[in-house]
């Protein structure tokens, strides 16, 4: 009981909030965009759109009025500023809730002893210092600046609002410079920030997998008691959705304006799925050795007890059953053996990788939905609807 109380006190003190910290978070607090119990999504989204997207319209109208129509039709701009950026900002709340759930469940399920909670407190302290450090977010900004200076020309194409001239001597318009330096940087910074927070989760998962967890091979979740961790990859879905939206918008533009073939993106799509899957589910792999060993040890231990019980049952009710057949139906040994058999069957079905089917579905949808506009660029929506209606006849 004392151990449980200590566990709950530590969990209540921190709850693994990997989101509420760092220079960007503190800046939002100073601007009153975020409060202790209020995320103020409407203010944050409004400000992001007001900075990243709205200025493009007056800048284009003032310096390059002929490109205004192309700006309003450019799906790439919408995918970054009206889809990806809002999803990344709102997705921080999902990360927050999932990360907090981990330590809270560790305490409620009593998965750590008192001595291990002391080690956990040290891990939490390290994560808090990393979370609040200026260096990681400053590094993200520096890397973005270097990337922009060295490769911004790869972002330029013959789009009236974005650039003028003849390839390869294209020059950015004022709106093009704003898009590269402000709009794209805003999206990339939020994407990098999401990846940094996910790296903190990966560090925590690695440290947690090294602790002496109270795992049981016959746990009903089929993962020794760590099945709850399978819900964490869902928190990566907003990052996946945002990245896929921007990539899909670029592919759609290539198809519609540069004659690219849909199948030419087959290999990049496979690589994208592999990277998203590796990043989202990779931290769960830290628990595989522990759970695999737990299963092997469980098979030996439960097998030994099962052997002893089965031999006694066989001796009493098979070899020496003569004259005692009527007592068999009321004997407790038969139900005990059946119950033990179910426990052993559950043990054999234990899966060392604590992934959740719902997480796979969520990550899959976060990749498929943003890619629908790419498909519709090749197969018009009208054709798709007509084929569906035809199939229903």
């Amino acid at each position: 009981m004392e151990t449980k109380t200590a566990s709950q006190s530590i969990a209540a003190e921190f709850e693994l909030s990997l989101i509420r910290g760092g220079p960007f978070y503190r800046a939002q607090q100073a601007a009153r965009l975020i409060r202790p119990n209020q995320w103020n999504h409407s203010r944050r989204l409004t400000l992001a759109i007001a900075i990243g997207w709205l200025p493009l319209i007056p800048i284009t109208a003032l310096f390059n009025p002929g490109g205004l129509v192309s700006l309003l039709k450019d799906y790439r701009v919408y995918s970054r500023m009206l889809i990806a950026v809002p999803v990344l900002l709102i997705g921080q709340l999902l990360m927050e809730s999932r990360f907090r759930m981990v330590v809270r469940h560790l305490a409620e399920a009593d998965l750590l002893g008192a001595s291990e909670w002391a080690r956990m407190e040290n891990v939490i302290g390290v994560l808090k210092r990393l979370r609040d450090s200026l260096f990681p977010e400053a590094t993200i900004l520096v890397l973005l600046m270097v990337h922009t200076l060295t490769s911004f020309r790869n972002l330029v194409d013959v789009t009236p609002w974005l650039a003028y001239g003849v390839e390869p001597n294209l020059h950015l318009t004022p709106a093009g410079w704003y898009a590269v330096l402000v709009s794209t940087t805003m999206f990339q910074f939020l994407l990098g920030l999401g990846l940094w927070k996910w790296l903190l989760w990966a560090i925590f998962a690695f440290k947690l997998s090294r602790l002496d967890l109270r795992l049981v091979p016959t746990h009903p979740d089929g993962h020794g008691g760590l099945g709850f961790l399978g819900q964490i990859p869902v928190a990566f879905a907003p990052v996946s959705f945002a990245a896929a939206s921007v990539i899909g918008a670029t592919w759609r533009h290539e198809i519609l304006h540069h004659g690219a073939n849909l199948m030419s993106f087959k290999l990049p799509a496979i690589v994208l799925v592999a990277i998203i899957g590796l990043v989202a589910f990779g931290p769960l792999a830290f628990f595989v050795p522990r759970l695999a060993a737990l299963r092997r040890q469980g098979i030996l231990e439960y097998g030994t007890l099962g052997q002893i019980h089965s031999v006694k049952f066989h001796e009493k009710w098979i070899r020496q059953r003569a004259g005692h057949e009527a007592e068999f139906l009321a004997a407790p040994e038969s139900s005990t053996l059946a119950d033990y058999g179910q426990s052993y069957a559950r043990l054999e079905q234990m899966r060392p990788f604590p992934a959740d089917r719902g997480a796979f579905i969520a990550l899959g949808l976060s990749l498929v939905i943003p890619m629908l506009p790419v498909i519709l660029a090749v197969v018009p929506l009208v054709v798709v609807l007509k084929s569906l209606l035809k199939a229903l006849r």
Side-chain angles (χ1 to χ4, degrees):
M1 188 67 181
E2 292 179 359
T3 300
K4 189 76 170 182
T5 303
S7 301
Q8 291 175 335
S9 65
I10 294 174
E13 181 182 352
F14 182 57
E15 286 195 315
L16 192 61
S17 177
L18 300 179
I19 302 299
R20 295 181 181 271
F24 181 65
Y25 179 81
R26 291 195 294 271
Q28 293 179 87
Q29 278 187 315
R32 296 190 176 183
L33 295 173
I34 292 179
R35 296 180 180 179
N37 298 314
Q38 189 176 7
W39 280 89
N40 286 329
H41 288 306
S42 59
R43 290 185 184 181
R44 299 169 76 216
L45 296 182
T46 300
L47 183 61
I49 293 173
I51 294 175
W53 180 68
L54 285 179
L56 294 174
I57 298 176
I59 293 174
T60 302
L62 183 61
F63 295 99
N64 184 25
L68 188 58
V69 174
S70 71
L71 169 64
L72 297 177
K73 289 183 177 180
D74 198 330
Y75 178 71
R76 294 173 298 177
V77 179
Y78 298 130
S79 70
R80 278 181 172 83
M81 300 313 305
L82 301 184
I83 297 177
V85 167
V87 166
L88 287 171
L89 288 173
I90 297 175
Q92 291 176 349
L93 180 60
L94 179 59
M95 278 194 177
E96 167 84 355
S97 62
R98 296 291 176 172
F99 292 161
R100 283 182 177 273
M101 177 269 290
V102 173
V103 173
R104 186 167 59 248
H105 185 81
L106 288 173
E108 292 174 351
D110 201 20
L111 282 167
L112 292 173
S115 60
E116 293 304 287
W117 270 111
R119 296 177 61 190
M120 172 61 73
E121 198 167 12
N122 292 331
V123 172
I124 288 173
V126 171
L127 288 174
K128 288 178 68 175
R129 288 192 293 272
L130 288 173
R131 180 199 66 185
D132 296 335
S133 174
L134 173 65
F135 179 75
E137 294 183 24
T139 301
I140 293 174
L141 281 176
V142 170
L143 291 176
L144 288 179
M145 292 172 61
V146 172
H147 173 73
T148 299
L149 291 174
T150 57
S151 62
F152 74 91
R153 293 188 181 279
N154 295 330
L155 303 173
V156 182
D157 57 23
V158 190
T159 303
W161 76 268
L162 182 62
Y164 61 91
V166 180
E167 291 184 313
N169 298 316
L170 291 173
H171 302 280
L172 286 171
T173 64
W177 278 112
Y178 190 90
V180 170
L181 297 177
V182 179
S183 305
T184 300
T185 300
M186 179 186 295
F187 157 71
Q188 291 177 342
F189 175 76
L190 290 175
L191 183 65
L193 188 63
L195 292 173
W196 162 241
K197 300 299 184 180
W198 193 255
L199 178 60
L200 289 177
W201 153 245
I203 294 172
F204 176 83
F206 175 77
K207 297 291 187 180
L208 178 62
S209 68
R210 296 303 188 266
L211 297 181
D212 187 14
L213 298 165
R214 293 173 172 173
L215 304 180
V216 182
T218 54
H219 195 285
D221 67 7
H223 301 291
L226 296 180
F228 71 100
L229 293 177
Q231 303 176 33
I232 304 301
V234 174
F236 193 73
V239 178
S240 170
F241 187 94
S245 296
V246 173
I247 293 172
T250 302
W251 291 352
R252 176 184 170 88
H253 184 83
E254 291 293 320
I255 291 173
L256 293 178
H257 299 280
H258 298 284
N261 187 281
L262 181 62
M263 294 307 295
S264 63
F265 303 113
K266 181 179 179 180
L267 181 59
I270 294 174
V271 173
L272 176 63
V273 171
I275 292 175
I276 294 296
L278 180 63
V279 174
F281 293 98
L284 299 182
F286 295 137
F287 300 92
V288 171
R290 171 70 64 83
L291 292 177
L294 180 70
R295 183 180 183 275
R296 291 193 299 268
Q297 186 65 25
I299 288 176
L300 293 175
E301 294 175 345
Y302 279 70
T304 300
L305 184 58
Q307 173 69 14
I308 295 172
H309 189 84
S310 298
V311 168
K312 290 183 178 180
F313 183 89
H314 186 78
E315 285 291 329
K316 181 176 180 179
W317 295 108
I318 301 300
R319 292 187 175 181
Q320 302 176 16
R321 71 177 184 277
H324 300 281
E325 289 84 350
E327 302 173 11
F328 178 72
L329 296 177
E333 291 90 344
S334 58
S335 59
T336 301
L337 185 63
D339 293 340
Y340 193 84
Q342 293 178 359
S343 297
Y344 191 83
R346 184 182 298 120
L347 167 61
E348 285 193 316
Q349 295 170 2
M350 178 183 168
R351 300 177 299 279
F353 190 71
D356 182 76
R357 183 180 300 175
F360 281 107
I361 295 174
L363 265 296
L365 291 176
S366 73
L367 288 171
V368 171
I369 293 176
M371 292 299 168
L372 290 178
V374 183
I375 298 174
L376 294 177
V378 179
V379 184
L381 181 60
V382 175
V383 175
V384 176
L385 292 177
K386 284 183 178 179
S387 64
L388 290 176
L389 292 174
K390 184 178 180 180
L392 292 174
R393 292 177 182 175

